[in-house]
């Protein structure tokens, strides 16, 4: 129970600047210095990550903070976490003359830390689409469990992240946000594959001065 | 006021999301069962037909203070179904059982192994005004392995030992249930992944 309370307090602190907002403000991002976003994130594996875990992740979240450098352009930092999991049915894995048969439980925890730049196409409108590009890193922790043993692999991948999205203003300082991000982590360390997946985010954006 | 509502809703959403981020995993002991096989790729199984296998499964060797050893065998209630399954699979693969003194082509040596892992953790916690004594958590589990070793008694290496030409091992967490189906399924899987044993 405590962890739920602490988690809620953490996110409340991240967005405390909006608590003192007035209900009637300008309706566009032109009036604000920056914004904080919180989103629920669905991860869809592609490429080599799909070869390891083919099921989508419905356990994910994204937290971001950005500042406007112009009415249409913002720079910021996004941190995400997606957990991929798959139970692989009883299978046989052969290497030379040796064979090992059993169930596997595969986990991939992916945490992108991305510096991004977004361009807003219609900053004066309630419906404000945007596109962006990010650069950063993805921390990947991969566990393959079989019998009583686990094979753990841990890497930091250099990553690029293009993104498209749309904000829909539901309050002068709040918008509903939908975004699709493509995370491309280049191969590194123990994991000889690129870490690539689509992030489908739905959440809130809070504008502040 | 609306922004406060959205703030509360978004925080609640994130708490719910993160609280659901628990990891799934195995639900039953049988989910952890594995079967391992390996063989000597230079050995010609197709030239062989007969085998000998003892009617007991060795599980331990007791050594007394005088250095005398006593073999400990698996109870018949467990060993008989296991040996019956191995015999059935060997017959299916075209092998014929013979007595030990009938010069069998190969000998199968069944054995049972087990290991117990004990782990513990301790944690401290304290209230606002005072400190609690540490609490300890102790748990253990026992893993068992059925090992089938096939040797050719007519071949030996420089030290006079017969190398294993095939090994099949069935491993899993031991329970106190009389569930032989996990072992027999493992034996079936060991033979299924060893098609080179077929001589018919």
């Amino acid at each position: 129970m405590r962890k739920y309370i602490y988690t809620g307090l953490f996110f409340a602190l991240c967005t405390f600047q909006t608590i003192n907002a007035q209900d009637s403000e300008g309706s566009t991002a032109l009036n604000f210095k920056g914004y904080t976003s919180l989103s629920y994130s669905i991860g869809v594996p592609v490429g080599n990550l799909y070869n390891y875990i083919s099921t989508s992740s419905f356990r994910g979240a994204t937290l971001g903070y950005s500042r406007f450098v112009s009415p249409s352009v913002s720079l910021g930092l996004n941190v995400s976490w997606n957990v991929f999991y798959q139970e692989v049915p009883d299978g046989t894995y052969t290497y030379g003359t040796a064979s090992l048969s059993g169930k596997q439980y595969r986990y991939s925890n992916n945490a992108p830390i991305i510096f991004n730049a977004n361009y807003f196409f219609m900053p004066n409108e309630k419906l404000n689409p945007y596109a962006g590009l990010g650069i950063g890193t993805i921390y990947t922790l991969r566990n393959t469990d079989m019998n009583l043993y686990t094979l753990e692999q841990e890497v930091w991948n250099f990553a690029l992240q293009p993104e498209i999205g749309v904000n829909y203003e539901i309050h002068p300082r709040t918008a509903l946000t939908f975004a699709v991000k493509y995370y491309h982590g280049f191969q590194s360390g123990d994991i000889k594959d690129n870490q690539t997946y689509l992030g489908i985010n739905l959440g809130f954006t809070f504008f502040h001065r | 006021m609306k922004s406060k509502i959205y703030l509360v809703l978004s925080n609640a959403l994130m708490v719910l999301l993160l609280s659901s981020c628990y990891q799934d995993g195995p639900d039953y002991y049988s989910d952890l069962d594995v079967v391992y096989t390996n063989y000597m790729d230079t050995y010609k199984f197709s030239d062989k037909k007969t085998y000998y296998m003892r009617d007991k499964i060795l599980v331990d060797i007791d050594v007394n203070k005088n250095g005398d050893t006593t073999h400990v065998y698996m109870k018949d209630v467990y060993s008989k179904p296991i040996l019956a399954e191995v015999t059935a699979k060997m017959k299916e693969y075209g092998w014929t059982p013979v007595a030990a003194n009938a010069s069998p082509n190969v000998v199968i040596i069944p054995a049972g192994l087990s290991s117990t892992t004990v782990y513990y953790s301790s944690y401290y916690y304290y209230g606002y005004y005072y400190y609690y004594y540490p609490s300890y958590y102790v748990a253990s589990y026992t893993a068992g392995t059925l090992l089938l070793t096939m040797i050719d008694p007519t071949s030996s290496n420089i030290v006079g030992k017969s190398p294993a030409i095939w090994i099949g091992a069935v491993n899993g967490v031991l329970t106190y249930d009389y569930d032989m189906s996990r072992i027999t399924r493992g034996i079936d899987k060991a033979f299924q992944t060893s098609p080179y044993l077929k001589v018919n």
Side-chain angles (χ1 to χ4, degrees):
Chain A
M1 184 61 189
R2 281 187 193 175
K3 65 178 178 180
Y4 301 144
I5 297 172
Y6 294 150
T7 307
L9 282 175
F10 169 73
F11 285 104
L13 284 172
C14 289
T15 56
F16 75 98
Q17 294 183 43
T18 67
I19 292 177
N20 295 320
Q22 297 178 11
D23 285 341
S24 177
E25 287 282 349
S27 61
T28 73
L30 295 173
N31 300 313
F32 304 103
K33 281 192 174 178
Y35 57 90
T36 302
S37 57
L38 296 172
S39 300
Y40 167 62
S41 177
I42 296 173
V44 181
V46 296
N48 290 313
L49 181 56
Y50 177 85
N51 293 337
Y52 178 67
I53 295 179
S54 59
T55 54
S56 297
S57 158
F58 293 93
R59 300 171 182 162
T62 299
L63 172 66
Y65 178 79
S66 296
R67 301 277 286 187
F68 286 106
V69 296
S70 78
S72 298
V73 178
S74 70
L75 300 176
L77 175 69
N78 276 300
V79 178
S80 303
W81 181 32
N82 292 92
V83 182
F84 296 89
Y85 163 77
Q86 184 173 23
E87 175 183 327
V88 181
D90 199 18
T92 299
Y93 306 90
T94 300
Y95 185 78
T97 57
S99 294
L100 188 64
S101 304
K103 278 188 176 179
Q104 279 192 359
Y105 298 88
R106 299 181 180 178
Y107 308 84
S108 182
N109 281 266
N110 298 73
I113 302 172
I114 304 290
F115 292 95
N116 63 327
N118 288 334
Y119 179 82
F120 295 86
F121 295 96
M122 298 158 61
N124 294 327
E125 305 297 327
K126 272 198 166 187
L127 192 67
N128 187 4
Y130 69 89
L133 182 64
I135 185 171
T137 182
I138 300 177
Y139 170 74
T140 299
L141 177 64
R142 179 183 284 189
N143 284 81
T144 305
D145 294 355
M146 195 169 182
N147 188 243
L148 298 168
Y149 302 95
T150 184
L151 172 65
E152 186 170 278
Q153 298 165 295
E154 185 179 23
V155 297
W156 289 88
N157 306 93
F158 169 70
L160 295 176
Q161 178 240 293
E163 143 180 30
I164 55 171
V166 60
N167 286 337
Y168 179 74
E169 183 188 306
I170 56 176
H171 179 271
R173 296 169 71 97
T174 308
L176 194 62
T177 302
F178 175 78
V180 177
K181 307 177 188 237
Y182 177 76
Y183 296 99
H184 187 98
F186 295 88
Q187 68 178 49
S188 168
D190 292 340
I191 301 177
K192 304 300 180 186
D193 302 321
N194 295 334
Q195 298 297 297
T196 52
Y197 66 96
L198 277 175
I200 302 171
N201 292 15
L202 179 65
F204 295 100
T205 297
F206 304 96
F207 297 95
H208 47 78
R209 297 188 183 283
Chain B
M1 180 59 189
K2 281 186 181 178
S3 66
K4 290 185 181 177
I5 295 173
Y6 295 136
L7 177 65
V8 170
L9 282 176
S10 64
N11 284 340
L13 174 66
M14 300 312 296
V15 168
L16 283 174
L17 287 172
L18 292 179
S19 67
S20 70
C21 289
Y22 66 96
Q23 290 183 337
D24 292 326
D27 296 314
Y28 305 98
Y29 288 115
S30 57
D31 292 338
L32 300 175
D33 293 346
V34 293
V35 177
Y36 172 81
T37 61
N38 205 339
Y39 70 102
M40 184 183 290
D41 57 353
T42 56
Y43 191 80
K44 287 187 88 174
F45 291 93
S46 56
D47 295 344
K48 314 299 176 182
K49 283 290 183 187
T50 61
Y51 75 98
Y52 165 74
M53 182 172 65
R54 195 173 175 181
D55 60 354
K56 289 183 181 296
I57 300 178
L58 183 70
V59 294
D60 201 357
I61 298 177
D62 281 342
V63 182
N64 64 17
K65 58 183 178 180
N66 297 324
D68 299 325
T69 59
T70 304
H71 290 172
V72 180
Y73 296 99
M74 189 181 292
K75 292 180 180 176
D76 286 349
V77 67
Y78 301 117
S79 64
K80 285 190 182 306
I82 293 173
L83 294 173
E85 186 67 22
V86 175
T87 302
K89 297 306 292 185
M90 290 295 285
K91 181 179 179 181
E92 182 183 324
Y93 277 36
W95 295 83
T96 303
V98 298
N101 57 7
S103 301
N105 296 140
V106 300
V107 174
I108 298 177
I109 305 169
L113 311 167
S114 69
S115 65
T116 300
T117 302
V118 180
Y119 57 94
Y120 70 94
S121 65
S122 62
Y123 56 93
Y124 299 83
Y125 60 97
Y126 54 89
Y128 190 75
Y129 291 108
Y130 48 85
Y131 165 77
Y132 291 93
Y133 283 105
S135 297
Y136 297 92
Y137 172 79
V138 183
S140 69
Y141 64 88
T142 300
T145 304
L146 172 68
L147 188 62
L148 300 171
T149 308
M150 183 183 287
I151 65 167
D152 185 335
T154 62
S155 67
S156 65
N157 56 20
I158 193 170
V159 294
K161 293 186 183 297
S162 300
I165 56 177
W166 178 78
I167 291 177
V170 181
N171 177 272
V173 177
L174 291 180
T175 67
Y176 293 100
D177 301 330
Y178 180 72
D179 184 7
M180 300 306 297
S181 64
R182 287 173 59 194
I183 300 178
T184 55
R185 274 200 307 270
I187 294 170
D188 290 347
K189 177 63 77 173
F191 280 87
Q192 182 185 340
T193 57
S194 305
Y196 39 81
L197 288 179
K198 283 186 178 177
V199 297
N200 52 4

